[in-house]
């Protein structure tokens, strides 16, 4: 499109629309992270650029991860399904060990390494999708069988969820369960099992919520943020005010008021509120369109993959992005209770950005629609599709 | 790798897979659509509401109160000033522990911890802890080092002369707005423009930006200069207080007026109040009754009837009237004098204060000329002192014979103390009525004169000759045989008149045995420099103006003459003057009580019914608000109710004679 480079350039093979959408989201995110965090950074770190610098480094690493994924190609990921999952489980165990895992905001979610913090849950989400795609593709029709298609995945999911809940990280747990649901559905699991799973999950979710006063408060805050606007509903109420004051055209970049300590987590989980306040409905529309494009091109690429593993993988990655984006926005706008899910590519957070950009690289390699990383052939796919 | 290859083979259920993937795609698009729809709802339809709520918390209007203008006496002595004091407030949401914090604050400021705790718990982001705190208290709170505390400068009104002139100056409320007196009347001018600037703040309550610079001139109110003289005001208040206390009276008023200009040099009220602590006195106790409230003046008004009658040539200085030996029937009523007199000239009528002969003079004039005579002296006409709620007084047209009679000696009509003083000023000023005034200048900080009062001639009430003649006659009042010997001064000639009015009885709808004793004097009589009126409300020891009010007059007059540097009168010979001007035969005073001064007569027997068009204000003290309103409506009066509960005070007072449809203000309060 915008790139008039010769066809020999390796970029041409990848879906330029998807690439632009992802890079657009990342750039938009960098601008908004700076706008949302500058005041806080100045106040806490004495450097208004503190969070922006860190996010820039993460974006750089993310670009690297993306390039590697595009180069390596999605097919080779199948081999990494088990090691990735194992690594994720190890990391999730480690993060729960006091001394290794570091605590922020009442949850032990980071493994603090020199210079940066690693969030195992972000890795786990990706590893989970890769593993599920691989496993479901391998089992093919047997997926419909309860013992083969259902039980092992459910058990593994249970382990991951348990590890997440120990931190605690409710949002990631929900996402993991949701991905299982999505991919099982795509792979043709029996609907009765899925419905049963939901019915089974509901009382468990209820226990999880009711057992934790802070989750209960979040539900209360969600039910009526205005009634609780000075305690538990504070964040949502501030977020709603922030979004509302943006109006159609917004207050202008950098001119938002709510980030002046009114809105906690303005640069992470609630960055959407600042985007809505400063860029208005126009910015929100742009954001939604970008996510829509990523979803559309991602699903398109996954359908064109020609192999179930690729289809599942593409669908899983697109789903992670779209689901997180939609849930994050709905939370910020008071449609869902607070979860702790970030806005993909946009929220401040290195682990999330690097992993997501790597995942986007996988999607892009799917869009290249080749057998391997090196063969630029659309024709092969089309033929295969015809053959199928 | 093997599995991998297997997965690569064409899927039999590929169609179904695509369908399911597309279904999921649709679901996610829908989710994103829902998010966008919600954004539309929030940002388009609820935008205004939410933006307003947001602004409420980040835009803090920083009200910078203007420094209230000062109030000065005529010589530039400040009577009311503004000083800046600290007020302490807190953002309770910043306090880690509201209860502990309020306990600590209450201890430091000697406040009630429970009340403060409750107040802070109620407030969200702002609560006053203590307004207008002392510097030591501010330091104590700062030492606590609590988060969220704020200190702001607030101007506080300070009255350096304390009680002096307090009723005239008035006072301000906690918010700095005028509550009473000139502080209320000149609220707009004194307050200046409060400059309001909007600043953004962060959630920690810190000011981030203050938009716009402040113009210091804009921040100051105008200065008000009064005609009052601090020294005369002091003397008048002191003398009045002594007179009221000596007579065990309930209240009193005194007015000192310059007859040549109409300037009010002193306006005193008793009981006094300290405007620095307005909460310690009631609203009615702060009322400048001398300027605002009307009452039935009594015999002090006789001088105007005589003057008007002479002006109309209804009588001459030599006319003789028969005083009926002390009792005269008018219709169904009997008018009495305290002593029985026979034939008297106008001068002796005034000297002895004969009611019967005054009634005859009024008859000789006729009703129209009689009423016009009073009106010429400014009665039933607002003086325009620029004070809110100033009474006008009522002068009902005397249709009944007895009304004409009672009005001739100042009953059945009302006037304010300032009106009476101003009318005497006309007699003293060769018959020209000057408009009385209290505020000479209002100047804003830029030097622009917002208001300036200059001596203003209202009208000629009577000719100069008549005025001088009447003043001459009044000199006999303080002379031997007059009613106010105690008002006579050693070095100055005094012309004056006593008054001992009956107060209307709100219960019996007639007159009570309560009195208003007064004396009004003009000094020096040959070239008047001051009109001094002293009114004592409900004296208990003795009820006569000549005994109760005259000594206070003398005290004020002595100080005033010295203060105004008035040379002593050369011819201190009132008797001689009287003798020269009074050719009345000795036989004319057959019943005169030679031994003592004749006392002011009382209209004891006069059971008066109000003239059509006027009503007496019922006594509503202690009534429940609704019943009081019903009673007022039944009496054809317009109620105006302040507060709730039972009536604690009413204006005009019970028994006052007012026009039908007049407004009666009731102050209600809940009784404990």
């Amino acid at each position: 499109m915008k790139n008039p480079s010769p066809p020999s350039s390796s970029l041409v093979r990848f879906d330029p629309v998807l690439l632009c959408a992802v890079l657009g989201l990342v750039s938009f995110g960098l601008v908004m992270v700076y706008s949302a965090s500058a005041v806080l950074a100045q106040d806490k770190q004495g450097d208004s650029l503190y969070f922006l610098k860190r996010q820039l480094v993460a974006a750089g690493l993310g670009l690297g991860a993306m390039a590697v994924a595009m180069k390596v190609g999605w097919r080779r990921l199948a081999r990494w399904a088990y090691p990735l999952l194992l690594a994720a489980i190890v990391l999730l165990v480690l993060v729960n060990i006091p001394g290794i895992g570091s605590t922020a905001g009442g949850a032990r979610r980071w493994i603090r390494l020199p210079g940066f913090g690693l969030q195992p849950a972000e890795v786990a989400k990706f590893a989970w999708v890769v593993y599920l795609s691989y496993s479901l593709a391998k089992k093919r029709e047997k997926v419909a069988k309860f013992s083969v298609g259902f039980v092992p995945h459910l058990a593994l999911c249970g382990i991951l969820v348990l590890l997440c809940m120990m931190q605690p990280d409710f949002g990631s747990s929900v996402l993991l369960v949701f991905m299982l649901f999505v991919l099982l559905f795509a792979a043709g699991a029996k609907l009765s099992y899925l419905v049963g799973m939901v019915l089974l999950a509901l009382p468990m979710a209820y226990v999880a919520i009711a057992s934790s006063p802070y989750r209960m408060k979040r539900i209360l805050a969600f039910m009526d943020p205005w009634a609780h606007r000075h305690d538990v509903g504070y964040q949502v109420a501030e977020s709603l005010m922030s979004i509302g004051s943006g109006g159609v055209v917004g207050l202008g970049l950098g001119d938002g008021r709510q980030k002046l300590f009114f809105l906690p987590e303005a640069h992470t989980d609630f960055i959407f509120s600042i985007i809505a306040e400063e860029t208005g409905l126009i910015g929100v529309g742009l954001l939604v369109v970008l996510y829509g494009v990523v979803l559309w091109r991602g699903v398109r690429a996954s359908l064109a993959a020609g192999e179930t593993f690729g289809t599942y993988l593409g669908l899983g990655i697109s789903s992670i992005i779209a689901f997180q984006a939609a849930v994050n926005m709905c939370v910020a706008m008071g449609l869902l209770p607070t979860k702790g899910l970030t806005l993909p590519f946009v929220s401040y957070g290195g682990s999330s950005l690097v992993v997501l950009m790597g995942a986007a690289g996988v999607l892009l390699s799917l869009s290249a629609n080749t057998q391997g990383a090196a063969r630029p052939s659309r024709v092969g796919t089309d033929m295969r599709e015809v053959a199928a | 790798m093997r599995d991998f290859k297997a997965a690569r083979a064409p899927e039999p259920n590929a169609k179904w897979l695509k369908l399911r993937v597309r279904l999921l795609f649709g679901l996610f698009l829908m989710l994103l659509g829902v998010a966008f729809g919600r954004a539309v709802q929030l940002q388009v339809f609820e935008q205004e509401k939410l933006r307003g709520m947001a602004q409420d918390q980040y835009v803090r209007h920083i009200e910078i109160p203007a420094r209230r203008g000062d109030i000065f006496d005529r010589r530039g002595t400040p009577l009311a000033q503004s000083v800046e004091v600290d007020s302490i407030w807190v953002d309770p949401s910043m306090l880690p522990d509201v209860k502990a914090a309020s306990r600590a604050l209450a201890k430091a400021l000697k406040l009630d911890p429970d009340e403060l705790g409750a107040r802070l718990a109620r407030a969200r982001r702002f609560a006053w802890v203590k307004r207008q705190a002392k510097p030591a208290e501010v330091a104590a709170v700062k030492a606590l080092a609590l988060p969220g505390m704020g200190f702001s400068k607030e101007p506080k009104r300070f009255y350096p002369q304390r009680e002096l002139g307090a009723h005239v100056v008035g006072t301000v409320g906690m918010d700095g707005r005028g509550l009473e007196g000139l502080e209320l009347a000149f609220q707009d001018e004194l307050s200046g423009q409060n400059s309001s600037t909007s600043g953004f703040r962060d959630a920690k309550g810190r000011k981030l930006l203050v938009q716009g610079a402040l113009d210091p001139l804009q921040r100051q109110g105008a200065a008000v200069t009064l005609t009052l003289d601090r020294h005369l005001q002091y003397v008048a208040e002191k003398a009045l207080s002594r007179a009221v206390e000596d007579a065990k009276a309930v209240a009193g008023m005194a007015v000192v007026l310059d007859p040549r200009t109409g300037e009010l040099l002193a306006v005193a009220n008793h009981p006094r109040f300290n405007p620095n602590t307005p909460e310690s006195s009631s609203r009615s106790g702060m009322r400048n009754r001398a300027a605002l409230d009307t009452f039935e003046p009594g015999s002090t008004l006789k001088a105007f009837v005589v003057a008007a009658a002479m002006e109309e040539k209804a009588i001459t200085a030599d006319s003789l009237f028969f005083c009926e030996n002390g009792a005269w029937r008018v219709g169904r009523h009997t008018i009495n004098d305290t002593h029985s007199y026979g034939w008297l000239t106008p001068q002796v009528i005034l000297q002895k204060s004969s009611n019967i002969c005054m009634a005859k003079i009024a008859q000789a004039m006729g009703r129209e000329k009689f009423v016009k005579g009073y009106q010429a002296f400014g009665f039933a006409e607002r003086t325009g002192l620029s004070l809110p709620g100033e009474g006008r007084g009522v002068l009902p047209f005397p249709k009944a014979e007895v009304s004409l009679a009672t009005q001739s000696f100042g009953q059945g009509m009302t006037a304010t103390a300032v009106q009476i003083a101003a009318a005497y000023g006309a007699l003293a000023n060769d018959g020209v009525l000057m408009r009385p005034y209290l505020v000479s200048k209002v100047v804003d900080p830029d030097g622009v004169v917002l208001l300036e009062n200059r001596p203003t001639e209202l009208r000629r009430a009577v000719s100069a000759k008549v005025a001088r003649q009447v003043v001459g006659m009044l000199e006999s009042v303080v002379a031997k045989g007059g009613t106010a010997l105690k008002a006579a001064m050693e070095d100055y000639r005094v012309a004056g008149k006593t008054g001992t009015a009956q107060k209307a009885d709100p219960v019996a709808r007639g007159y009570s045995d309560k009195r208003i004793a007064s004396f009004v004097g003009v000094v020096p009589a040959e070239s008047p420099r001051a009109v001094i009126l002293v009114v004592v409300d409900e004296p208990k020891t003795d009820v006569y103006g000549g005994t109760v009010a005259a000594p206070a007059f003398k005290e004020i007059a002595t100080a005033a003459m010295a203060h105004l540097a008035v040379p002593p009168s050369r011819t201190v010979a009132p008797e001689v003057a009287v003798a020269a001007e009074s050719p009345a035969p000795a036989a004319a005073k057959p019943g005169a009580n030679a031994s003592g001064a004749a006392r002011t007569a009382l209209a004891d027997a006069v059971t008066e019914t109000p003239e059509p068009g006027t009503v007496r204000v019922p006594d509503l003290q202690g009534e429940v608000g609704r019943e009081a309103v019903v009673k007022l409506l039944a009496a054809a009066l317009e109620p105006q109710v302040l507060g709730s509960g039972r009536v604690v005070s009413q204006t005009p007072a019970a028994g006052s004679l007012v026009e039908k449809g007049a407004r009666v203000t009731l102050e209600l309060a809940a009784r404990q």
Side-chain angles (χ1 to χ4, degrees), chain A residues 43 134 141 185-186 226 230 238 243-245 247 257 260-261 276 281 285 307-308 319 333 385, chain B residues 3 8 11-12 17-18 20 25 28 35-36 38 43 47 51 53 57-58 124 200 202-204 206:
Chain A
D43 192 49
Y134 172 74
E141 287 84 9
F185 174 75
W226 300 116
H230 295 290
E238 291 295 333
I243 293 163
S245 25
R257 317 278 186 226
L260 304 176
F261 309 108
L281 191 62
E307 287 178 24
T308 43
S319 304
M333 294 186 290
E385 273 202 326
Chain B
D3 305 327
R8 202 187 279 176
E11 306 277 341
L17 172 66
K18 281 193 179 181
R20 284 193 290 257
F25 174 61
F28 288 127
F36 186 72
R38 172 71 168 166
Q43 300 196 291
Q47 183 212 348
R51 184 176 283 184
M53 291 170 85
Q57 54 178 1
Y58 64 71
R124 287 171 185 167
F200 295 118
D202 59 23
K204 298 175 181 176
R206 296 176 299 204

Coordinates of all heavy atoms in Angstrom, one line a residue, chain A residues 43 134 141 185-186 226 230 238 243-245 247 257 260-261 276 281 285 307-308 319 333 385, chain B residues 3 8 11-12 17-18 20 25 28 35-36 38 43 47 51 53 57-58 124 200 202-204 206:
Chain A
D43 N 5.6 13.3 39.1 CA 5.3 13.3 40.5 C 6.1 12.2 41.3 O 6.7 12.4 42.3 CB 3.8 13.1 40.8 CG 3.4 13.4 42.2 OD1 3.8 14.5 42.7 OD2 2.7 12.6 42.8
Y134 N -2.5 -26.3 19.0 CA -1.7 -27.5 18.6 C -2.5 -28.8 19.0 O -2.7 -29.7 18.2 CB -0.4 -27.5 19.2 CG 0.4 -28.7 19.1 CD1 1.0 -29.1 17.8 CD2 0.5 -29.6 20.1 CE1 1.6 -30.2 17.6 CE2 1.2 -30.8 19.9 CZ 1.8 -31.1 18.7 OH 2.4 -32.3 18.5
E141 N -11.0 -34.9 15.0 CA -12.4 -35.3 15.3 C -12.6 -35.7 16.7 O -13.7 -35.7 17.3 CB -12.9 -36.4 14.4 CG -13.2 -35.9 12.9 CD -11.9 -35.9 12.1 OE1 -10.9 -36.5 12.6 OE2 -11.9 -35.4 11.0
F185 N -15.0 -24.5 20.9 CA -16.1 -24.3 20.1 C -15.7 -24.3 18.6 O -16.4 -25.0 17.8 CB -16.8 -22.9 20.4 CG -17.9 -22.5 19.4 CD1 -19.1 -23.1 19.6 CD2 -17.7 -21.6 18.4 CE1 -20.1 -22.8 18.7 CE2 -18.7 -21.2 17.6 CZ -19.9 -21.8 17.7
A186 N -14.6 -23.7 18.3 CA -14.1 -23.7 16.9 C -13.8 -25.1 16.4 O -14.0 -25.5 15.3 CB -12.9 -22.7 16.8
W226 N -22.1 5.2 40.9 CA -22.3 6.5 41.5 C -22.6 6.4 43.0 O -22.2 7.3 43.7 CB -23.5 7.2 40.7 CG -23.2 7.4 39.3 CD1 -23.8 6.8 38.2 CD2 -22.1 8.1 38.7 NE1 -23.2 7.2 37.1 CE2 -22.1 8.0 37.3 CE3 -21.1 8.9 39.3 CZ2 -21.2 8.6 36.5 CZ3 -20.2 9.5 38.4 CH2 -20.3 9.4 37.0
H230 N -17.3 7.3 46.1 CA -16.3 7.8 46.9 C -15.5 6.6 47.5 O -14.5 6.9 48.3 CB -16.8 8.7 48.0 CG -17.4 9.9 47.4 ND1 -16.6 10.9 46.8 CD2 -18.7 10.3 47.2 CE1 -17.4 11.8 46.3 NE2 -18.6 11.5 46.5
E238 N -14.9 7.8 38.2 CA -14.0 8.8 37.6 C -13.8 8.5 36.1 O -13.7 9.4 35.3 CB -12.6 8.7 38.3 CG -12.6 9.2 39.7 CD -12.9 10.6 39.8 OE1 -12.6 11.4 38.9 OE2 -13.4 11.1 40.9
I243 N -14.5 9.8 30.4 CA -15.0 9.5 29.1 C -16.0 10.5 28.6 O -16.0 11.0 27.5 CB -15.5 8.1 29.0 CG1 -14.3 7.1 29.3 CG2 -16.2 7.8 27.7 CD1 -14.8 5.7 29.7
G244 N -17.0 10.8 29.5 CA -18.1 11.7 29.2 C -17.5 13.1 28.8 O -18.0 13.7 27.9
S245 N -16.5 13.5 29.6 CA -16.1 14.9 29.4 C -15.4 15.0 28.0 O -15.2 16.1 27.5 CB -15.3 15.5 30.5 OG -14.6 14.5 31.2
G247 N -16.5 14.0 25.1 CA -17.4 14.4 24.1 C -17.0 13.8 22.8 O -16.3 12.8 22.7
R257 N -8.0 16.1 32.1 CA -7.9 16.5 33.5 C -7.8 15.3 34.5 O -7.3 15.4 35.5 CB -9.0 17.4 33.9 CG -9.4 18.4 32.9 CD -8.6 19.6 33.0 NE -9.1 20.6 32.1 CZ -8.3 21.3 31.2 NH1 -7.0 21.1 31.2 NH2 -8.8 22.2 30.5
L260 N -4.9 13.8 36.4 CA -4.3 14.5 37.5 C -4.6 13.8 38.8 O -5.2 14.4 39.7 CB -4.8 15.9 37.5 CG -4.5 16.7 36.2 CD1 -5.1 18.1 36.3 CD2 -3.0 16.8 35.9
F261 N -4.3 12.5 38.9 CA -4.5 11.7 40.1 C -5.9 11.4 40.4 O -6.2 10.8 41.4 CB -3.8 12.4 41.3 CG -2.4 12.8 41.0 CD1 -2.1 14.1 40.9 CD2 -1.4 11.8 40.9 CE1 -0.8 14.5 40.6 CE2 -0.1 12.2 40.6 CZ 0.2 13.5 40.5
A276 N -10.4 8.4 25.6 CA -11.7 8.9 25.3 C -11.9 10.4 25.7 O -12.5 11.2 25.1 CB -12.8 8.1 26.1
L281 N -14.9 10.9 21.0 CA -15.5 9.8 20.3 C -14.8 9.4 19.0 O -14.7 8.3 18.6 CB -17.0 10.1 19.9 CG -17.9 9.0 19.5 CD1 -18.0 7.9 20.5 CD2 -19.2 9.5 19.0
G285 N -13.6 5.8 18.2 CA -13.9 5.2 17.0 C -12.7 4.6 16.2 O -12.7 3.5 15.8
E307 N -4.6 -24.9 7.4 CA -4.4 -26.0 8.3 C -5.2 -25.6 9.6 O -5.2 -24.5 10.0 CB -2.9 -26.1 8.6 CG -2.2 -26.8 7.5 CD -0.7 -26.8 7.9 OE1 -0.4 -26.8 9.1 OE2 0.1 -26.9 6.9
T308 N -5.7 -26.6 10.2 CA -6.5 -26.3 11.5 C -5.6 -25.7 12.5 O -6.0 -24.8 13.2 CB -7.1 -27.6 12.0 OG1 -6.1 -28.6 12.0 CG2 -8.3 -28.0 11.2
S319 N -8.6 -13.5 18.9 CA -9.6 -13.5 20.0 C -9.0 -12.8 21.2 O -9.7 -12.0 21.9 CB -10.1 -14.9 20.3 OG -10.6 -15.5 19.2
M333 N -16.1 1.7 30.7 CA -17.3 2.4 30.5 C -18.4 1.8 31.4 O -19.6 2.1 31.2 CB -17.7 2.3 29.0 CG -16.8 3.2 28.2 SD -17.2 3.3 26.5 CE -17.0 1.7 25.9
E385 N -7.4 -24.8 -0.7 CA -8.7 -24.5 -0.3 C -9.7 -25.1 -1.3 O -10.8 -25.6 -0.9 CB -9.0 -23.0 -0.3 CG -8.6 -22.4 1.1 CD -9.2 -21.0 1.3 OE1 -9.4 -20.3 0.4 OE2 -9.5 -20.8 2.5
Chain B
D3 N 2.4 -35.5 14.0 CA 1.1 -34.9 14.2 C 0.8 -33.7 13.4 O -0.3 -33.4 12.9 CB 1.0 -34.4 15.7 CG 1.3 -35.6 16.6 OD1 1.0 -36.7 16.2 OD2 2.0 -35.4 17.7
R8 N -2.2 -31.3 8.7 CA -2.1 -30.5 7.5 C -3.1 -31.1 6.5 O -3.6 -30.4 5.6 CB -0.7 -30.6 6.9 CG -0.4 -29.5 5.9 CD 0.9 -29.7 5.3 NE 2.0 -29.3 6.1 CZ 3.3 -29.5 5.8 NH1 3.6 -30.1 4.7 NH2 4.2 -29.0 6.6
E11 N -9.4 -31.1 6.1 CA -10.4 -31.5 7.2 C -11.7 -31.8 6.6 O -12.2 -31.0 5.7 CB -10.5 -30.4 8.2 CG -9.2 -29.9 8.7 CD -8.7 -30.7 9.8 OE1 -9.5 -31.4 10.4 OE2 -7.5 -30.7 10.1
P12 N -12.3 -32.8 7.0 CA -13.7 -33.1 6.6 C -14.7 -32.0 7.1 O -15.7 -31.7 6.4 CB -14.0 -34.5 7.1 CG -13.1 -34.7 8.3 CD -11.9 -33.8 8.0
L17 N -15.9 -25.6 10.4 CA -14.9 -24.8 11.1 C -15.0 -23.4 10.7 O -15.0 -22.5 11.5 CB -13.5 -25.4 10.8 CG -12.3 -24.5 11.3 CD1 -12.3 -24.5 12.8 CD2 -11.0 -25.1 10.8
K18 N -15.0 -23.2 9.3 CA -15.1 -21.8 8.9 C -16.4 -21.1 9.4 O -16.3 -19.9 9.8 CB -15.2 -21.8 7.3 CG -13.8 -22.0 6.7 CD -13.8 -21.7 5.3 CE -12.3 -21.9 4.7 NZ -12.2 -21.6 3.3
R20 N -17.9 -21.8 12.1 CA -17.8 -21.5 13.6 C -16.8 -20.3 13.8 O -17.1 -19.4 14.6 CB -17.3 -22.7 14.3 CG -18.4 -23.7 14.5 CD -18.0 -24.8 15.5 NE -16.9 -25.7 14.9 CZ -17.2 -26.9 14.5 NH1 -18.4 -27.4 14.5 NH2 -16.2 -27.6 14.0
F25 N -16.1 -14.6 15.0 CA -15.7 -13.3 14.4 C -16.8 -12.3 14.6 O -16.7 -11.2 15.1 CB -15.3 -13.4 13.0 CG -15.1 -12.2 12.2 CD1 -14.0 -11.3 12.6 CD2 -15.8 -11.8 11.2 CE1 -13.8 -10.1 12.0 CE2 -15.6 -10.6 10.5 CZ -14.6 -9.8 10.9
F28 N -17.2 -11.2 18.3 CA -16.2 -10.3 18.7 C -16.5 -8.9 18.1 O -16.3 -7.9 18.8 CB -14.8 -10.7 18.3 CG -14.3 -11.9 19.2 CD1 -13.8 -13.0 18.6 CD2 -14.4 -11.8 20.6 CE1 -13.4 -14.1 19.4 CE2 -13.9 -12.8 21.3 CZ -13.5 -14.0 20.8
A35 N -19.0 -1.8 22.7 CA -18.1 -0.9 23.3 C -18.3 0.5 22.7 O -18.4 1.5 23.4 CB -16.7 -1.3 23.3
F36 N -18.3 0.5 21.3 CA -18.4 1.8 20.7 C -19.8 2.4 20.9 O -19.9 3.6 21.2 CB -18.2 1.6 19.1 CG -18.2 2.9 18.4 CD1 -17.1 3.7 18.5 CD2 -19.3 3.3 17.6 CE1 -17.1 5.0 17.9 CE2 -19.3 4.5 17.0 CZ -18.2 5.3 17.1
R38 N -21.6 2.1 23.6 CA -21.6 2.7 24.9 C -20.8 4.0 24.9 O -21.2 5.0 25.6 CB -20.9 1.7 25.8 CG -20.6 2.2 27.2 CD -21.9 2.4 28.1 NE -21.6 2.6 29.5 CZ -22.4 3.0 30.4 NH1 -23.6 3.3 30.0 NH2 -22.0 3.2 31.6
Q43 N -20.4 9.7 25.5 CA -19.8 10.9 25.0 C -20.7 11.9 24.2 O -20.3 13.0 24.0 CB -18.6 10.5 24.1 CG -17.6 9.7 24.9 CD -16.2 9.6 24.2 OE1 -16.1 9.0 23.2 NE2 -15.2 10.2 24.8
Q47 N -22.7 13.5 27.8 CA -21.5 14.3 27.8 C -21.6 15.4 28.8 O -20.8 15.6 29.7 CB -21.2 14.8 26.4 CG -19.9 15.6 26.4 CD -19.9 16.7 25.4 OE1 -20.8 16.8 24.6 NE2 -19.0 17.6 25.5
R51 N -19.4 15.7 32.1 CA -18.3 16.8 32.0 C -18.5 17.7 33.2 O -17.6 18.1 33.9 CB -18.4 17.5 30.7 CG -17.3 18.6 30.6 CD -17.3 19.3 29.3 NE -16.7 18.4 28.2 CZ -16.5 18.8 27.0 NH1 -16.9 20.0 26.6 NH2 -16.0 18.0 26.1
M53 N -19.8 16.9 36.1 CA -19.4 16.3 37.3 C -17.9 16.3 37.4 O -17.3 16.5 38.5 CB -19.9 14.8 37.3 CG -21.4 14.7 37.5 SD -21.9 13.0 37.2 CE -21.7 12.3 38.8
Q57 N -14.9 18.5 40.1 CA -13.8 18.1 41.0 C -12.5 18.6 40.6 O -11.6 18.8 41.4 CB -13.8 16.6 41.1 CG -13.8 15.8 39.8 CD -13.7 14.3 40.0 OE1 -13.6 13.9 41.1 NE2 -13.6 13.6 38.9
Y58 N -12.3 19.0 39.3 CA -11.0 19.5 39.0 C -10.9 21.0 38.8 O -9.8 21.6 38.9 CB -10.3 18.8 37.9 CG -11.0 18.9 36.5 CD1 -10.9 20.0 35.8 CD2 -11.6 17.8 35.9 CE1 -11.5 20.1 34.5 CE2 -12.2 17.8 34.7 CZ -12.1 19.0 34.0 OH -12.7 19.1 32.8
R124 N -17.3 15.8 51.4 CA -16.6 15.0 50.5 C -15.2 15.5 50.3 O -14.2 14.9 50.7 CB -17.3 14.9 49.1 CG -18.5 14.1 49.2 CD -19.3 14.2 47.9 NE -20.5 13.5 48.0 CZ -21.5 13.6 47.2 NH1 -21.4 14.4 46.2 NH2 -22.6 12.9 47.3
F200 N -7.2 25.0 38.0 CA -7.3 23.5 37.9 C -6.5 23.0 39.1 O -5.6 23.6 39.6 CB -6.7 23.0 36.6 CG -7.4 23.4 35.4 CD1 -6.8 24.2 34.5 CD2 -8.7 23.1 35.3 CE1 -7.5 24.6 33.4 CE2 -9.4 23.5 34.2 CZ -8.8 24.3 33.2
D202 N -5.3 19.1 41.1 CA -5.3 17.7 40.9 C -6.0 17.1 42.1 O -6.6 17.8 42.9 CB -3.8 17.2 40.8 CG -3.0 17.6 42.1 OD1 -3.7 17.8 43.1 OD2 -1.8 17.6 42.0
A203 N -6.1 15.7 42.1 CA -6.9 15.1 43.1 C -6.4 15.3 44.5 O -7.0 15.0 45.4 CB -7.0 13.6 42.8
K204 N -5.1 15.7 44.6 CA -4.6 16.0 45.9 C -4.9 17.4 46.4 O -4.4 17.8 47.4 CB -3.1 15.7 45.8 CG -2.8 14.3 45.5 CD -1.3 14.0 45.3 CE -1.2 12.5 44.8 NZ 0.2 12.2 44.5
R206 N -4.0 20.2 45.2 CA -3.0 21.2 45.0 C -3.5 22.1 43.9 O -4.0 21.7 42.9 CB -1.7 20.6 44.7 CG -1.1 19.8 45.8 CD 0.1 19.1 45.4 NE -0.1 18.2 44.3 CZ 0.7 17.2 44.0 NH1 1.8 16.9 44.8 NH2 0.5 16.4 43.0

